[in-house]
Amino acid sequence: MSALVSLEGLSVRYPRSTTPALEAVTMSVAQGEKLAIIGESGSGKSTLARALVDLLPRGSRCDGTITWQGGSPAPGRDYGYVFQDPGSSFDPILSIGAQMVEVLQTHFPLTRHDARVRAAALLARVQIPAPELALDAYPHQFSGGQKQRIAIAIAIATGPKLLIADEPTSALDTVVQAEIVALLQELVESDAMTLLFITHDIALASGLADRIAVFRNARLVEIGTANEIITAPRRSYTRGLVAAHLDLTTPVLIGDVP
Ligand SMILES: Nc1ncnc2c1ncn2[C@@H]1O[C@H](COP(=O)(O)OP(=O)(O)O)[C@@H](O)[C@H]1O
Ligand SMILES: [Mg+2]
């Protein structure tokens, strides 16, 4: 599979920071793959995503190279971004429809009416009930899981080739988490998008991703297929992560296996 984007020796230092947030990261994201980025808090996962799409704060120092096939993606059009806190994606005083119409009209020559029709279709795609009515509702009227569905609808509104989801389910309960992951999987596969799924949950990563990249202390520890990482991790840190997960599930497995 060809690379959508390749990183070569990427290092990032935030302004006024004495330690690098990313150090000498070399890896690529394949066109159309679902790549999970896992690692503990502070390991550099979000920094990697921000560096990729040029969203680092001003004054950050970025060394190394980032090479996009077909040029850098345009903000808000060629990639979609879903954040951990679904509330932070919205303006609380604007209706969902107004926010979606604004995004759509920024990128497409649509009348307000046509933009609303398209917005309703996007809400239907992310399984928001009664999409036409939902357009006139405000963010606080939706549950956390529904807000995250709407945030995903906005993220895919422009038909991006890359979807970045940065801990999109970490603020949600387990059942809703699984539903959101299934929705992302379905959307990414049916639209042939590339997915960068950031999580600290190795179980969630292994259920969704084709490949998993493991980060620790600003460095890429290892990258491989989800199967390789789970069944044959090469690095002791990854083995520890997998073992910790297996320890948690072992009693269930023993009970389930005849
Ligand atoms: N805006 C910022 N300014 C300074 N340091 C930051 C900033 N954002 C993150 N960092 C630091 O960079 C490191 C990596 O952070 P981050 O990429 O957010 O980790 P993760 O997403 O894996 O939790 C951490 O040490 C964090 O404290
Ligand atoms: Mg983060």
Side-chain angles (χ1 to χ4, degrees), residues 45-46 50 166-167 198:
K45 306 183 296 297
S46 297
R50 287 188 212 115
D166 191 348
E167 310 239 17
I198 298 173

Side-chain angles (χ1 to χ4, degrees), residues 53-94:
V53 293
D54 210 11
L55 282 181
L56 290 168
R58 278 170 74 94
S60 301
R61 188 188 156 134
C62 210
D63 293 307
T65 58
I66 300 177
T67 311
W68 287 90
Q69 185 200 65
S72 304
R77 195 192 63 204
D78 295 337
Y79 64 86
Y81 218 118
V82 181
F83 299 94
Q84 173 171 346
D85 172 15
S88 68
S89 308
F90 300 101
D91 184 334
I93 62 165
L94 283 182

